[in-house]
Amino acid sequence: MAIKKLKPKPSAGPDGLSAEFITNVARGVCLPLVSIFCQSFQSSVIPDMWRKAYVTPVFKKGSACDVKNYRPISLTCTCCKVMETFIKEQLLEYLLSAGLISRHQHGFLARHSTCSQLIECTNDWTIALNSRNSVDVAYIDFSKAFDTVSHPKLISKLKSFGIGGKLLAWFSDYLKNRSQVVRVGNCLSTESPVISGVPQGSVLGPILFLLFINDIVDEFGDFLGVKLFADDVKIYVIIKDVVDTDMLQDGLNKLLAWSLKWQLILAENKCQVLHIGGRNPMRSYVVGQSTLPDCFDCVDLGVTVDSDLKFNNHISNIVNKAFQRSSLILRCFKTRDPAVLFRAFVVYVRPILEYCSQVWNPVYIGNIRKIESVQRSFTRRLFGFSKLTYEQRLSALKAESLELRRLKSDLIFLFNVFSDKSVIDSSILPRDTRGICTRGHSLKLVKNHCVSNCRLHSFPVRCINVWNVLPSNIVESSNLAVFKHRLHDYDFSEFCLF
């Protein structure tokens, strides 16, 4: 099973064995690998070859001459990844069953995602605005967090989780004497030792980092909200009175002390504070010797969040980016086949317009039309489609409007919450516990009074009307695949413009 989980890529690591090769010869190498894994675990020693990694620089943006504009991608030994997969599964099963991983961490864990984290945050923030309060959110970033983890301190934290014996000894050897070389094409640099950090490009590296940063949430008590996504930390306070802002400043002071203790350096130039709400006192906050810059919109896990939680800036940004990319497709592809071009649109453009749509799905007609205009314009420019209506073009391409796709994404996420496929607690959904709704299915929701539009249009409230009218055979589907299939046949025309 561990070999089947490997992505069959042709690139080989330091051992010269690619995941594609291991996958193809899985039956022949299973027994030898099991023997190696057992011997490695019993002796708490890993082969020296498994300590090495190839690092390939991948260009991000900006000037190609600046080294800082490249992201280092590490490639480790495939056989080591297979053994790490076994250890990771057993380790996570123990940690999750014992409730040892913070519920505020949404990175590198099943049923967690950027979307689940953002929905939890925006739910708290819209409730605060609905109560005529305001919110201050401090976005904290660590400098090269994965590369600066202290190995002795990581081992001490593993002990605190109850990890000991041969497994702890294996982890100690796994972290020792690691090295890496930079590979560009067929050329290799000289070998450099890796004296800190979790192994990049490995299976266990992300989990080890989560355990290292796990106790940071204990610093903030119950008065501050905190959410994590790997090394991205977000601290926020609900401001009912000006003095409440002191709690956030106190939390930032504790965060700084924690970072100094565990040797994770804060990237103060990347930290900032978002002020949410019209009645916000606009207090300035300090971390160390630096005053955090104030902002009224910021990119939060890929979504631009603004101070009124309307997401107008986010919608404008993704529409502009989508138009640019769709134009590139029409200019760069030689084929004029509508099916091929629209497939390229689906792969390269549509994800931009649908990423985390459950968080920002618009209800205002202007924003709905703005997003839809991307697909409308692209399909009109396809060969032979210019004289067809938008509905006819979608029918010919066997596609749905972007608005309908976002609506279905909302309902699918809601179904996952009810069926425990998402980490989000279903308590954020206002269930009908008093039997007010006597018709329809058994999972009906109740819409509470909303003072602010941002709360009225937030995910837990926005979906209620559509969810409640769904027939019971859809809502009570046995699994997600059945739910999607039945959802496809339902008529949502009364809820959509397009």
Side-chain angles (χ1 to χ4, degrees), residues 415-416 419 421 474 476-485:
F415 178 81
N416 283 334
S419 56
K421 298 296 183 182
I474 296 180
E476 298 170 6
S477 298
S478 57
N479 55 59
L480 183 58
V482 174
F483 180 79
K484 288 181 178 180
H485 178 73

Side-chain angles (χ1 to χ4, degrees), residues 225-341:
V226 56
K227 299 295 177 185
L228 307 175
F229 192 88
D231 61 329
D232 291 328
V233 183
K234 186 165 34 183
I235 314 168
Y236 56 91
V237 62
I238 309 299
I239 304 173
K240 300 177 181 178
D241 192 274
V242 178
V243 296
D244 292 335
T245 59
D246 293 336
M247 292 187 292
L248 182 55
Q249 181 58 63
D250 184 53
L252 292 172
N253 295 337
K254 291 180 178 179
L255 174 67
L256 178 62
W258 183 93
S259 67
L260 293 174
K261 177 181 178 181
W262 297 104
Q263 295 177 264
L264 285 185
I265 303 172
L266 290 176
E268 297 178 5
N269 60 323
K270 295 183 180 180
C271 300
Q272 56 187 339
V273 175
L274 174 66
H275 301 286
I276 300 176
R279 302 183 181 185
N280 198 293
M282 301 292 295
R283 169 173 174 170
S284 295
Y285 297 92
V286 177
V287 173
Q289 303 298 320
S290 303
T291 300
L292 299 185
D294 300 323
C295 63
F296 296 96
D297 65 76
C298 67
V299 179
D300 186 350
L301 298 180
V303 176
T304 303
V305 181
D306 46 42
S307 57
D308 54 9
L309 298 182
K310 291 183 178 179
F311 300 101
N312 290 332
N313 293 340
H314 177 73
I315 292 171
S316 296
N317 292 338
I318 63 173
V319 166
N320 291 337
K321 187 176 181 180
F323 266 123
Q324 292 173 4
R325 192 167 292 186
S326 60
S327 296
L328 279 174
I329 290 174
L330 293 172
R331 290 201 305 268
C332 297
F333 277 63
K334 290 184 178 181
T335 180
R336 294 295 94 188
D337 185 346
V340 175
L341 291 173

Side-chain angles (χ1 to χ4, degrees), residues 67 70 102 110 142 177 246 355 382 386 405 409 443 457 467:
V67 177
Y70 289 82
S102 171
F142 292 100
N177 303 322
D246 293 336
Y355 170 71
L382 296 178
S386 60
R405 286 180 56 82
S409 293
L443 296 177
H457 302 154
W467 178 262

Side-chain angles (χ1 to χ4, degrees), residues 401-420:
S401 69
L402 297 177
E403 181 188 15
L404 178 57
R405 286 180 56 82
R406 291 195 304 275
L407 175 59
K408 289 184 177 180
S409 293
D410 281 354
L411 297 176
I412 290 170
F413 198 92
L414 202 57
F415 178 81
N416 283 334
V417 172
F418 277 118
S419 56
D420 293 328

Side-chain angles (χ1 to χ4, degrees), residues 58-301:
V58 177
F59 180 68
K60 295 187 293 183
K61 59 182 179 179
S63 173
C65 300
D66 190 349
V67 177
K68 296 180 181 178
N69 292 331
Y70 289 82
R71 176 180 286 111
I73 304 298
S74 296
L75 187 62
T76 55
C77 296
T78 305
C79 294
C80 185
K81 287 182 180 179
V82 177
M83 182 174 183
E84 290 178 60
T85 301
F86 287 118
I87 295 176
K88 173 192 170 183
E89 290 176 351
Q90 297 296 318
L91 182 62
L92 276 179
E93 182 180 351
Y94 160 69
L95 294 169
L96 294 175
S97 63
L100 296 177
I101 297 181
S102 171
R103 62 183 180 86
H104 301 295
Q105 176 62 263
H106 289 255
F108 306 126
L109 297 172
R111 303 191 306 127
H112 297 67
S113 65
T114 55
C115 189
S116 65
Q117 200 234 57
L118 288 170
I119 285 179
E120 287 189 355
C121 292
T122 53
N123 181 65
D124 291 344
W125 301 343
T126 55
I127 289 175
L129 296 188
N130 197 57
S131 302
R132 302 189 185 280
N133 299 318
S134 54
V135 185
D136 276 351
V137 188
Y139 290 89
I140 306 300
D141 192 17
F142 292 100
S143 178
K144 300 179 180 179
F146 284 77
D147 297 325
T148 56
V149 171
S150 167
H151 291 168
K153 292 186 176 182
L154 174 58
I155 294 299
S156 70
K157 289 205 172 187
L158 292 179
K159 290 180 181 178
S160 69
F161 283 100
I163 299 171
K166 292 181 179 179
L167 179 59
L168 184 65
W170 188 90
F171 273 126
S172 298
D173 192 71
Y174 174 76
L175 295 170
K176 288 179 183 176
N177 303 322
R178 302 194 71 91
S179 62
Q180 62 184 23
V181 297
V182 177
R183 182 173 66 181
V184 179
N186 294 322
C187 300
L188 299 177
S189 70
T190 55
E191 192 171 292
S192 299
V194 179
I195 59 175
S196 66
V198 295
Q200 298 290 312
S202 65
V203 174
L204 285 171
I207 302 303
L208 292 176
F209 183 82
L210 294 191
L211 299 182
F212 187 80
I213 202 173
N214 188 70
D215 65 335
I216 195 172
V217 299
D218 300 332
E219 302 293 321
F220 307 117
D222 298 327
F223 299 102
L224 294 176
V226 56
K227 299 295 177 185
L228 307 175
F229 192 88
D231 61 329
D232 291 328
V233 183
K234 186 165 34 183
I235 314 168
Y236 56 91
V237 62
I238 309 299
I239 304 173
K240 300 177 181 178
D241 192 274
V242 178
V243 296
D244 292 335
T245 59
D246 293 336
M247 292 187 292
L248 182 55
Q249 181 58 63
D250 184 53
L252 292 172
N253 295 337
K254 291 180 178 179
L255 174 67
L256 178 62
W258 183 93
S259 67
L260 293 174
K261 177 181 178 181
W262 297 104
Q263 295 177 264
L264 285 185
I265 303 172
L266 290 176
E268 297 178 5
N269 60 323
K270 295 183 180 180
C271 300
Q272 56 187 339
V273 175
L274 174 66
H275 301 286
I276 300 176
R279 302 183 181 185
N280 198 293
M282 301 292 295
R283 169 173 174 170
S284 295
Y285 297 92
V286 177
V287 173
Q289 303 298 320
S290 303
T291 300
L292 299 185
D294 300 323
C295 63
F296 296 96
D297 65 76
C298 67
V299 179
D300 186 350
L301 298 180

